[in-house]
Amino acid sequence: MAQTILVTGATGTVGSELVKALANRGLVVRAGVHSLIKGERLKQLNPEVQLVEIEYARPESLHVALTGTDRVFMITPFSEDQVAIGKRIIDAAKQAGVQQVVKLSAAGAEAEPGIQLGRWHREMEQYLEQSGLPYTLLRPGSFMQNFLTYNGEAIRTEGKLYLPLGEAKVNYIDARDIAATAAAILSSPVAEHQGKAYFLSGPAAVGGTDVAAALSQATGRSVSYVDVPEQAAAQAMAQAPAWLRDSLLELNHISKNGHAAGLSPVVEQLTGCPARSIEQFAKDYRQQFQAAPAT
């Protein structure tokens, strides 16, 4: 009998790719979504996908989602209360007798004292480690898809990639490779990856100029990298909540200082396929980076 796997945050960047990857393996996939209407696009990926509404403020919704679930891929929202939400998911998974929890964490979460983003993830990791549940941790670098989510409009309309990173190289990873790695773990015997923490990266650390060059090549139009001074980046986020602004600025600061350039072979080791390059990412998403036609 096929195992049932719950993916929380299933409509997000990694979650939606994982739902697709798991469904293609013939597993029973339960997609945890905040809104059933938003989740409908996951059914379009595979009509066999089960949609289940999860409202973290209502613990009973977690109980329903986890009933009959064998394994969980745990994605927590990037919010001020993410640690509390993570602990709530772990408690509910333990109560439901789940066989394995695979947590999406972040590169450098184990660092001491680390940055705020890492400390949030590490607190959740430790809670999971102490829960008695079989677990595996995935610690990826920054997602390549963030160039589309956060920089896409400026790339399309101005041909500019604005980043406060100087000449730093960063180990960006394609979210599809995170999903493929997670799918490999979730379809393997639990004991094979029990207690492991895997750092994930793309195949090379690249700078803003490299990313702009890849986008230029893929789209056939000029895209240039603009190094934004850190003070200007802070001013641009002045209206954002302090927890959000400060954690992102801190992440950019350590990246600018060369602490996000390390590489890992884990994607290829666990999936059998090399991690996608920035050039491949740009080619695959080139239509989303193209300028809108003039009207």
Side-chain angles (χ1 to χ4, degrees):
M1 188 173 175
Q3 289 204 316
T4 298
I5 299 173
L6 171 67
V7 179
T8 69
T11 57
T13 303
V14 174
S16 57
E17 292 294 342
L18 179 56
V19 167
K20 187 191 310 181
L22 289 171
N24 289 341
R25 288 173 178 255
L27 296 163
V28 178
V29 184
R30 191 171 289 175
V33 298
H34 183 64
S35 161
L36 293 177
I37 294 173
K38 283 183 64 178
E40 274 303 314
R41 65 185 179 89
L42 298 174
K43 298 279 284 186
Q44 294 168 11
L45 296 175
N46 189 312
E48 298 300 313
V49 170
Q50 300 176 3
L51 295 182
V52 58
E53 197 167 22
I54 295 178
E55 177 55 62
Y56 294 117
R58 291 191 300 109
E60 63 273 18
S61 70
L62 269 175
H63 174 73
V64 171
L66 285 159
T67 298
T69 295
D70 298 292
R71 306 193 196 191
V72 175
F73 189 77
M74 175 180 152
I75 302 174
T76 46
F78 184 40
S79 62
E80 193 171 14
D81 60 347
Q82 60 189 287
V83 174
I85 289 172
K87 290 180 178 179
R88 215 169 293 155
I89 295 170
I90 293 163
D91 287 343
K94 186 173 182 177
Q95 186 178 8
V98 165
Q99 299 170 18
Q100 180 189 39
V101 175
V102 180
K103 174 181 159 40
L104 182 65
S105 187
E110 74 284 7
E112 296 288 350
I115 61 172
Q116 182 59 69
L117 183 62
R119 290 193 294 272
W120 282 325
H121 278 292
R122 185 59 188 143
E123 187 173 347
M124 287 184 275
E125 288 182 354
Q126 290 175 322
Y127 195 80
L128 177 57
E129 291 164 4
Q130 294 160 10
S131 70
L133 285 165
Y135 70 89
T136 306
L137 309 175
L138 294 186
R139 296 170 174 161
S142 295
F143 306 163
M144 292 180 185
Q145 279 74 6
N146 286 348
F147 293 122
L148 190 58
T149 304
Y150 300 112
N151 308 100
E153 184 176 359
I155 291 168
R156 286 187 294 269
T157 60
E158 303 176 47
K160 304 289 187 185
L161 171 63
Y162 295 100
L163 293 171
L165 298 177
E167 298 303 312
K169 303 283 187 180
V170 177
N171 52 19
Y172 300 108
I173 181 169
D174 194 304
R176 293 172 294 178
D177 291 326
I178 302 171
T181 305
I185 292 169
L186 289 161
S187 54
S188 299
V190 171
E192 193 171 323
H193 302 284
Q194 161 58 12
K196 302 284 182 65
Y198 294 115
F199 162 50
L200 307 180
S201 78
V206 296
T209 301
D210 303 316
V211 177
L215 292 168
S216 297
Q217 178 67 32
T219 61
R221 52 190 286 265
S222 176
V223 177
S224 57
Y225 167 52
V226 179
D227 176 27
V228 179
E230 288 183 87
Q231 186 175 359
Q235 290 172 347
M237 289 192 284
Q239 301 305 313
W243 69 267
L244 175 62
R245 179 185 66 245
D246 294 347
S247 60
L248 291 177
L249 290 173
E250 194 176 27
L251 176 61
N252 287 332
H253 182 74
I254 66 159
S255 298
K256 186 172 183 174
N257 285 298
H259 299 297
L263 300 177
S264 162
V266 167
V267 169
E268 185 166 8
Q269 288 173 349
L270 296 191
T271 68
C273 298
R276 292 171 175 85
S277 65
I278 193 66
E279 290 80 12
Q280 185 64 52
F281 164 79
K283 181 179 178 182
D284 291 347
Y285 287 85
R286 62 184 177 275
Q287 287 186 320
Q288 286 108 305
F289 287 111
Q290 294 283 10
T295 55

